[in-house]
């Protein structure tokens, strides 16, 4: 009986090792398009393989390993943004101003941060612009970042995001509005120099 368990465990170890060798790069590349912090992306990919190992013990047959791993990955990325929303990291006032705190204590625009009028054209086709846009998204405060990522990057329905993050509809739209304003200011500052 012990020999059969050891054989099953060896097969399991070989299987997960093959998955890691085959799918780490594509999983990490996809994760890096959603989360720019490399160590966080690597941690999420590692969680995917840990969950896959546990789930594979319960599942007899997996039709498409790659598709299955990517579905686990998408859930882990969503979990990351939910966690980021629920437990935002604390930033000092100086850090907030560096990352685009454009409002005063009353929620009004700071005079030096008011957005100007611009014409954006087809900027999403420009790799340099999309790089700046991604950096601006990553610079948003954690809660705003989470709602923007889930809404526009993961293309989730607003009602699902509201439920997942435990927000009121009003709070969600307020976060989205402020995030858009901060993104606009950040893009104007870094793109339209």
């Amino acid at each position: 009986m012990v020999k059969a368990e050891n054989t099953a465990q060896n097969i399991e170890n070989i299987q997960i090792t093959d998955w890691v060798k085959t799918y780490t790069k594509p999983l990490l590349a996809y994760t890096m398009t959603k989360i720019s912090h490399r160590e966080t992306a690597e941690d999420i990919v590692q969680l995917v393989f840990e969950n896959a190992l546990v789930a594979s013990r319960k599942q007899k047959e997996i039709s498409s390993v790659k598709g299955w791993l990517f579905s686990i990955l998408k859930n882990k990325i969503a979990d990351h943004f939910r966690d980021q929303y629920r437990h935002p990291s604390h930033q000092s006032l100086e850090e907030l101003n560096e990352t685009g705190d454009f409002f005063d204590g009353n929620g009004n625009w700071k005079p030096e941060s008011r957005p100007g009028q611009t014409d954006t054209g087809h900027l999403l086709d420009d790799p340099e612009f999309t790089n700046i846009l991604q950096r601006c998204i990553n610079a948003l405060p954690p809660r705003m970042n989470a709602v923007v990522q889930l809404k526009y990057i993961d293309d989730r329905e607003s009602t699902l995001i509201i439920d997942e993050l435990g927000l009121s509809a009003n709070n969600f739209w307020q976060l989205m509005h402020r995030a858009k304003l901060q993104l606009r200011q950040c893009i104007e500052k870094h793109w339209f120099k």
Side-chain angles (χ1 to χ4, degrees), residues 17 19 22 28 33 35 40 60 64 77 96-97 100 112 118 142 144 148-149 161 185 189:
T17 301
W19 291 351
T22 306
L28 185 59
T33 66
I35 300 167
T40 302
K60 296 291 180 199
S64 168
I77 291 170
L96 281 173
N97 283 328
E112 69 277 6
T118 61
M144 286 182 201
V148 167
Q149 292 279 357
I161 297 169
Q185 178 67 25
K189 180 178 178 182

Side-chain angles (χ1 to χ4, degrees), residues 19 28 32 61 71 73 77 86 97 99 101 105 110 112 117 123 130 134 142 146 193:
W19 291 351
L28 185 59
M32 290 295 295
E61 191 174 314
S71 69
L73 176 64
I77 291 170
R86 290 183 180 135
N97 283 328
T99 60
D101 184 22
K110 292 179 182 176
E112 69 277 6
Q117 298 298 321
L123 292 174
T130 55
Q134 188 61 47
K193 297 178 193 178

Side-chain angles (χ1 to χ4, degrees), residues 113-188:
S113 298
R114 290 184 199 277
Q117 298 298 321
T118 61
D119 178 23
T120 57
H122 297 284
L123 292 174
L124 292 177
D125 295 333
D126 186 327
E128 188 177 341
F129 175 78
T130 55
N131 183 28
I132 289 172
L133 175 61
Q134 188 61 47
R135 287 193 339 230
C136 289
I137 290 171
N138 293 335
L140 288 171
R143 291 182 177 191
M144 286 182 201
N145 182 300
V147 295
V148 167
Q149 292 279 357
L150 291 171
K151 177 71 177 162
Y152 295 112
I153 308 300
D154 288 351
D155 199 28
R156 293 195 184 228
E157 293 291 326
S158 302
T159 53
L160 293 175
I161 297 169
I162 289 168
D163 289 341
E164 286 179 17
L165 298 179
L167 299 171
S168 68
N170 201 24
N171 190 332
F172 170 78
W173 292 111
Q174 183 70 21
L175 285 168
M176 289 300 297
H177 176 71
R178 286 185 173 228
K180 288 176 186 178
L181 294 174
Q182 287 194 26
L183 285 172
R184 179 179 176 180
Q185 178 67 25
C186 179
I187 290 167
E188 285 180 349

Side-chain angles (χ1 to χ4, degrees), residues 21-75:
K21 287 178 183 175
T22 306
Y23 299 110
T24 296
K25 284 184 182 179
L27 290 170
L28 185 59
Y30 179 81
T31 307
M32 290 295 295
T33 66
K34 306 292 183 188
I35 300 167
S36 65
H37 191 257
R38 185 168 183 87
E39 282 125 14
T40 302
E42 289 171 347
D43 289 346
I44 289 172
V45 171
Q46 182 176 346
L47 285 173
V48 168
F49 288 119
E50 289 173 7
N51 283 8
L53 177 61
V54 171
S56 70
R57 292 175 183 156
K58 297 175 188 171
Q59 239 174 324
K60 296 291 180 199
E61 191 174 314
I62 301 166
S63 60
S64 168
V65 173
K66 183 177 182 180
W68 181 60
L69 291 173
F70 269 91
S71 69
I72 294 171
L73 176 64
K74 289 176 182 178
N75 287 326

